[in-house]
Amino acid sequence: MDKTNATVISNFIFLGFTHYPQIEVIIFVLCLLMYLITLLGNIILISVSVLDSHLHTPMYFFLSNLSCLDIWYTASALTPMLANFISGKNTISFSGCAAQMYFSLAMGSTECVLLSVMAYDRYVAICNPLRYPIIMNRKICVQIAAGLWVTGSFTALVETVPVLQLSLCGRSVINHFTCEILAVLKLVCVDTSKVQLIMLVISVLLLPMPMLLICISYAFILSSILRISSLDGRSKAFSTCAAHLSVVVLFYGTALSMYLKPSTIDSQEVDKFITLVYAGLTPMLNPIIYSLRNREVKVAVKKLLVRNSVCALSVFSSK
């Protein structure tokens, strides 16, 4: 933003869910619960993935990255809203809004690509089990993860910087509960066609294309599952795939409806609830569906709890 506007717009005001005073408290409680469950579930998953040597595999390495993303993603989107609701001040500084917009875009962009990599990892593990240790060795996994984080950070920078340079003409009321980029663009009083073109290109690269890769990967996976002779093994594999695909559809479906809908459709109120789904509900479901239902993770969690209990008892007895 130019210097004139930067001095005029020092703070933004969120409308949030003030249009729904009857359910505003309910929304706050639900968001708080989603945030706490997301933190607890993802911290447990990261802890057991690091501490249990049996989980030092590519799948749990990428799941740990997903958990880190979900924690940062939910924190950037929901924490300011929860803090504002408690304090009663629905405001945010210009720099805070810029940081919130950047981190939300960076974490969301990284997660879009990470989910497709995780699907490919499952494809290699199931369809090419003998070559799996070679294709997905530790060095390659670390390089892929680093590339994902760099890609997400770079694309977020490409989207955020042009928006912050646009003139807002003194408009500072954001009809949202977070500094979502589309909501901020509605405050702009100059031509936004170039910025929208940049966003369209990035959205196409990060949404339909990774989702297509996921669909192709799971098509091969399902084809391999159908060749399993054991009915019990086949049903378990189908159950796992269905659970994973449900999270993918939920995340990509809500993101697609937000960023690739026609510009003529103005659904700001609906967008708020869509944002709650992919910024709150999906990160909460990820550790539950992807890992905490797995027998390996359950065993690792029990070991961790027993180990901590023994340590606590030994400390207590020594006193």
Side-chain angles (χ1 to χ4, degrees):
M1 188 180 298
D2 58 53
K3 293 182 179 179
T4 303
N5 287 310
T7 56
V8 173
I9 306 296
S10 58
N11 291 283
F12 290 100
I13 301 171
F14 293 127
L15 287 184
F17 295 96
T18 53
H19 292 160
Y20 310 96
Q22 298 86 355
I23 61 171
E24 196 172 9
V25 176
I26 297 175
I27 293 173
F28 168 78
V29 173
L30 289 175
C31 289
L32 180 60
L33 287 174
M34 286 192 295
Y35 180 60
L36 294 176
I37 294 172
T38 299
L39 281 180
L40 179 62
N42 285 293
I43 288 173
I44 289 175
L45 179 55
I46 293 172
S47 300
V48 297
S49 298
V50 172
L51 297 176
D52 195 312
S53 59
H54 295 94
L55 300 183
H56 291 176
T57 63
M59 182 179 78
Y60 289 103
F61 172 74
F62 289 123
L63 281 172
S64 296
N65 276 267
L66 180 63
S67 293
C68 289
L69 278 172
D70 285 339
I71 291 173
W72 279 94
Y73 193 26
T74 307
S76 64
L78 296 186
T79 303
M81 183 197 76
L82 296 173
N84 286 338
F85 186 88
I86 294 173
S87 65
K89 297 179 181 180
N90 291 331
T91 60
I92 190 171
S93 65
F94 176 81
S95 58
C97 184
Q100 188 180 51
M101 187 192 307
Y102 172 77
F103 280 110
S104 295
L105 286 171
M107 299 302 105
S109 300
T110 306
E111 184 161 341
C112 285
V113 189
L114 177 59
L115 288 174
S116 64
V117 171
M118 290 169 62
Y120 175 74
D121 172 71
R122 291 298 83 207
Y123 156 73
V124 177
I126 294 173
C127 300
N128 296 284
L130 297 178
R131 298 181 60 196
Y132 181 65
I134 300 173
I135 297 174
M136 302 299 291
N137 62 65
R138 182 169 182 79
K139 182 180 179 181
I140 290 177
C141 290
V142 171
Q143 290 174 345
I144 290 174
L148 294 176
W149 285 88
V150 170
T151 299
S153 301
F154 177 73
T155 54
L157 196 65
V158 171
E159 289 182 288
T160 305
V161 171
V163 173
L164 297 177
Q165 292 175 339
L166 296 173
S167 175
L168 301 181
C169 302
R171 302 165 68 183
S172 61
V173 179
I174 301 176
N175 187 15
H176 213 288
F177 63 85
T178 183
C179 282
E180 206 276 324
I181 190 169
L182 295 177
V184 175
L185 275 177
K186 293 184 183 298
L187 306 182
V188 175
C189 56
V190 295
D191 181 39
T192 61
S193 56
K194 291 183 179 178
V195 174
Q196 289 180 344
L197 179 61
I198 293 172
M199 290 179 59
L200 177 62
V201 172
I202 293 176
S203 297
V204 170
L205 292 174
L206 295 180
L207 291 171
M209 291 184 66
M211 193 169 185
L212 177 62
L213 178 59
I214 291 172
C215 292
I216 294 172
S217 298
Y218 273 102
F220 283 107
I221 290 171
L222 291 174
S223 176
S224 297
I225 290 172
L226 291 173
R227 293 195 292 269
I228 298 175
S229 57
S230 169
L231 183 62
D232 184 53
R234 189 186 303 174
S235 62
K236 285 182 180 179
F238 267 120
S239 175
T240 302
C241 287
H244 292 184
L245 284 173
S246 64
V247 173
V248 168
V249 170
L250 187 64
F251 178 80
Y252 283 100
T254 50
L256 284 168
S257 65
M258 278 279 291
Y259 293 103
L260 290 181
K261 69 176 183 291
S263 57
T264 54
I265 299 178
D266 187 9
S267 55
Q268 193 63 41
E269 297 303 315
V270 176
D271 287 350
K272 295 177 188 177
F273 290 97
I274 292 176
T275 303
L276 283 180
V277 172
Y278 71 75
L281 183 61
T282 306
M284 180 187 72
L285 293 177
N286 278 341
I288 298 171
I289 291 179
Y290 272 101
S291 295
L292 297 182
R293 295 170 68 240
N294 292 357
R295 182 178 175 277
E296 290 178 330
V297 177
K298 288 180 180 178
V299 171
V301 171
K302 288 179 181 178
K303 286 182 179 178
L304 182 63
L305 292 175
V306 170
R307 188 187 307 169
N308 289 338
S309 299
V310 171
C311 291
L313 287 172
S314 62
V315 172
F316 180 76
S317 61
S318 64
K319 291 182 178 180

